[in-house]
Amino acid sequence: MTATLTQAPGLTLVDRAHNIRRHALRMGQVQGQGYVGQALGAADLLAVAYFHAMDYRPEDPEWEGRDRFYLSIGHYAIALYAALIEAQVIPLDELETYGSDDSRLPMSGMAAYTPGMEITGGSLGHGLGIAVGACLGLKRKGSDSFVYNLLSDGELNEGSTWEAAMSASHWKLDNLIAIIDVNNQQADGYSSEVLAFEPIVDRWQAFGWFTQRVDGNDLNALVAAFDGARQHPGAQPRIIICDTRMGKGVPFLESREKTHFIRVDEHEWDLALNHLEEGKHA
Ligand SMILES: Cc1ncc(C[n+]2csc(CCOP(=O)(O)OP(=O)(O)O)c2C)c(N)n1
Ligand SMILES: [Mg+2]
């Protein structure tokens, strides 16, 4: 159970995911651009991580007993900021500073700047290795905290990801929960065409991981998968492969061919926020 659930008991996971999307769009609007499609796609898995699965203290982000959330993909920072704002780790009005000089919310995630940003993740393919080291350290200390690592399908192109995957099962890291955002997009095109990643479930199973694959925009499926990952009795690392839709919740962004980095016209930000509201009440 998380501290935040008790702080705002009236809010459902649907509300949380919606608010995360709203915060991300607002930050995009502040800069006129950003990795907003990723934030909209990953909002549901972030809602379940921060408002169902993880244990943490918003007022004390470095509390030793916390579950850790490691973001490998520095360009997804906007998504994590939105979740941290919703979790009250970062004050809501700070989103107005997103991407500006001296802001604690730079466009790429950096641990030194932002409360709740545990690692610096711009160079792809390093998060899982860092998580393996942290899991080993936590085990040595006798901690029962989990380390969650959100990685992208583009990070499956990195050899270091697979080296980390091998060592995690070698060390029987049952305190490691990886989450892959499979949106089938990356900077150079469709992930499946840049470097085919299927059969993704078989591959992770072959590397010794307890593997689940879910619709990453289905909150109920995500809750079951996060519960399954934490409760799995095997002495092995766990992974949740989440198929998501970039731009989820804003139809004109969902239907864009290229959504890796989004620039939209001034008036379209309000349009996007309106579409989001309409979708919630539909
Ligand atoms: C080691 C490394 N190589 C290349 C890049 C440049 N780069 C930044 S984002 C990105 C795409 C990665 O794929 P993914 O995270 O799946 O993209 P998205 O789903 O956000 O479109 C690339 C290649 C990088 N940041 N680090
Ligand atoms: Mg991707």
PDB file of all heavy atoms in Angstrom, residues 76 152-154 181 183-186 191 246, ligand 2:
ATOM      1  N   TYR A  76      11.938   9.941 -21.505  1.00  0.00           N
ATOM      2  CA  TYR A  76      10.599   9.779 -20.924  1.00  0.00           C
ATOM      3  C   TYR A  76      10.436  10.608 -19.635  1.00  0.00           C
ATOM      4  O   TYR A  76       9.476  10.424 -18.909  1.00  0.00           O
ATOM      5  CB  TYR A  76      10.359   8.325 -20.531  1.00  0.00           C
ATOM      6  CG  TYR A  76       9.803   7.392 -21.591  1.00  0.00           C
ATOM      7  CD1 TYR A  76      10.434   7.210 -22.814  1.00  0.00           C
ATOM      8  CD2 TYR A  76       8.659   6.631 -21.339  1.00  0.00           C
ATOM      9  CE1 TYR A  76       9.951   6.307 -23.747  1.00  0.00           C
ATOM     10  CE2 TYR A  76       8.167   5.735 -22.263  1.00  0.00           C
ATOM     11  CZ  TYR A  76       8.812   5.570 -23.466  1.00  0.00           C
ATOM     12  OH  TYR A  76       8.329   4.668 -24.373  1.00  0.00           O
ATOM     13  N   SER A 152      12.455   0.843 -22.574  1.00  0.00           N
ATOM     14  CA  SER A 152      11.664   0.980 -23.799  1.00  0.00           C
ATOM     15  C   SER A 152      12.011  -0.149 -24.761  1.00  0.00           C
ATOM     16  O   SER A 152      13.043  -0.824 -24.614  1.00  0.00           O
ATOM     17  CB  SER A 152      11.958   2.319 -24.468  1.00  0.00           C
ATOM     18  OG  SER A 152      13.298   2.341 -24.928  1.00  0.00           O
ATOM     19  N   ASP A 153      11.147  -0.317 -25.774  1.00  0.00           N
ATOM     20  CA  ASP A 153      11.472  -1.360 -26.759  1.00  0.00           C
ATOM     21  C   ASP A 153      12.740  -0.996 -27.538  1.00  0.00           C
ATOM     22  O   ASP A 153      13.486  -1.873 -27.960  1.00  0.00           O
ATOM     23  CB  ASP A 153      10.278  -1.659 -27.689  1.00  0.00           C
ATOM     24  CG  ASP A 153       9.652  -0.434 -28.322  1.00  0.00           C
ATOM     25  OD1 ASP A 153      10.162   0.689 -28.148  1.00  0.00           O
ATOM     26  OD2 ASP A 153       8.614  -0.615 -29.013  1.00  0.00           O
ATOM     27  N   GLY A 154      13.027   0.296 -27.674  1.00  0.00           N
ATOM     28  CA  GLY A 154      14.279   0.698 -28.326  1.00  0.00           C
ATOM     29  C   GLY A 154      15.499   0.220 -27.543  1.00  0.00           C
ATOM     30  O   GLY A 154      16.562  -0.038 -28.126  1.00  0.00           O
ATOM     31  N   ASP A 181       8.057  -0.719 -22.013  1.00  0.00           N
ATOM     32  CA  ASP A 181       7.015  -0.029 -22.754  1.00  0.00           C
ATOM     33  C   ASP A 181       7.182  -0.377 -24.233  1.00  0.00           C
ATOM     34  O   ASP A 181       8.031   0.185 -24.923  1.00  0.00           O
ATOM     35  CB  ASP A 181       7.128   1.489 -22.546  1.00  0.00           C
ATOM     36  CG  ASP A 181       6.021   2.226 -23.286  1.00  0.00           C
ATOM     37  OD1 ASP A 181       5.076   1.560 -23.756  1.00  0.00           O
ATOM     38  OD2 ASP A 181       6.104   3.460 -23.409  1.00  0.00           O
ATOM     39  N   ASN A 183       5.869   0.234 -27.390  1.00  0.00           N
ATOM     40  CA  ASN A 183       4.979   1.068 -28.224  1.00  0.00           C
ATOM     41  C   ASN A 183       5.293   0.866 -29.709  1.00  0.00           C
ATOM     42  O   ASN A 183       4.687   1.492 -30.565  1.00  0.00           O
ATOM     43  CB  ASN A 183       5.091   2.547 -27.827  1.00  0.00           C
ATOM     44  CG  ASN A 183       6.524   3.055 -27.879  1.00  0.00           C
ATOM     45  OD1 ASN A 183       7.384   2.467 -28.536  1.00  0.00           O
ATOM     46  ND2 ASN A 183       6.779   4.148 -27.185  1.00  0.00           N
ATOM     47  N   ASN A 184       6.228  -0.003 -29.971  1.00  0.00           N
ATOM     48  CA  ASN A 184       6.686  -0.298 -31.338  1.00  0.00           C
ATOM     49  C   ASN A 184       7.119   0.957 -32.103  1.00  0.00           C
ATOM     50  O   ASN A 184       6.969   1.035 -33.315  1.00  0.00           O
ATOM     51  CB  ASN A 184       5.637  -1.084 -32.136  1.00  0.00           C
ATOM     52  CG  ASN A 184       6.266  -1.777 -33.347  1.00  0.00           C
ATOM     53  OD1 ASN A 184       7.470  -2.052 -33.361  1.00  0.00           O
ATOM     54  ND2 ASN A 184       5.475  -2.031 -34.376  1.00  0.00           N
ATOM     55  N   GLN A 185       7.641   1.918 -31.373  1.00  0.00           N
ATOM     56  CA  GLN A 185       8.160   3.140 -32.007  1.00  0.00           C
ATOM     57  C   GLN A 185       9.551   3.406 -31.470  1.00  0.00           C
ATOM     58  O   GLN A 185       9.843   3.083 -30.315  1.00  0.00           O
ATOM     59  CB  GLN A 185       7.305   4.349 -31.601  1.00  0.00           C
ATOM     60  CG  GLN A 185       5.873   4.292 -32.045  1.00  0.00           C
ATOM     61  CD  GLN A 185       5.659   4.935 -33.400  1.00  0.00           C
ATOM     62  OE1 GLN A 185       6.554   5.579 -33.940  1.00  0.00           O
ATOM     63  NE2 GLN A 185       4.473   4.735 -33.952  1.00  0.00           N
ATOM     64  N   GLN A 186      10.378   4.011 -32.274  1.00  0.00           N
ATOM     65  CA  GLN A 186      11.626   4.604 -31.800  1.00  0.00           C
ATOM     66  C   GLN A 186      12.019   5.703 -32.765  1.00  0.00           C
ATOM     67  O   GLN A 186      11.300   5.963 -33.732  1.00  0.00           O
ATOM     68  CB  GLN A 186      12.708   3.559 -31.588  1.00  0.00           C
ATOM     69  CG  GLN A 186      13.026   2.654 -32.751  1.00  0.00           C
ATOM     70  CD  GLN A 186      14.077   1.622 -32.355  1.00  0.00           C
ATOM     71  OE1 GLN A 186      15.253   1.928 -32.328  1.00  0.00           O
ATOM     72  NE2 GLN A 186      13.630   0.403 -32.036  1.00  0.00           N
ATOM     73  N   SER A 191       9.919  -0.063 -34.114  1.00  0.00           N
ATOM     74  CA  SER A 191      10.942  -0.881 -33.447  1.00  0.00           C
ATOM     75  C   SER A 191      11.066  -2.244 -34.115  1.00  0.00           C
ATOM     76  O   SER A 191      12.173  -2.763 -34.291  1.00  0.00           O
ATOM     77  CB  SER A 191      10.586  -1.052 -31.963  1.00  0.00           C
ATOM     78  OG  SER A 191      10.515   0.210 -31.354  1.00  0.00           O
ATOM     79  N   MET A 246       1.145   4.871 -28.266  1.00  0.00           N
ATOM     80  CA  MET A 246       1.647   6.246 -28.113  1.00  0.00           C
ATOM     81  C   MET A 246       0.513   7.240 -28.322  1.00  0.00           C
ATOM     82  O   MET A 246      -0.337   7.047 -29.186  1.00  0.00           O
ATOM     83  CB  MET A 246       2.718   6.517 -29.157  1.00  0.00           C
ATOM     84  CG  MET A 246       4.107   6.344 -28.631  1.00  0.00           C
ATOM     85  SD  MET A 246       5.215   7.277 -29.681  1.00  0.00           S
ATOM     86  CE  MET A 246       6.746   6.983 -28.879  1.00  0.00           C
TER      87      MET A 246
HETATM   88 MG    MG B   2       9.603   2.726 -28.200  1.00  0.00          MG
END
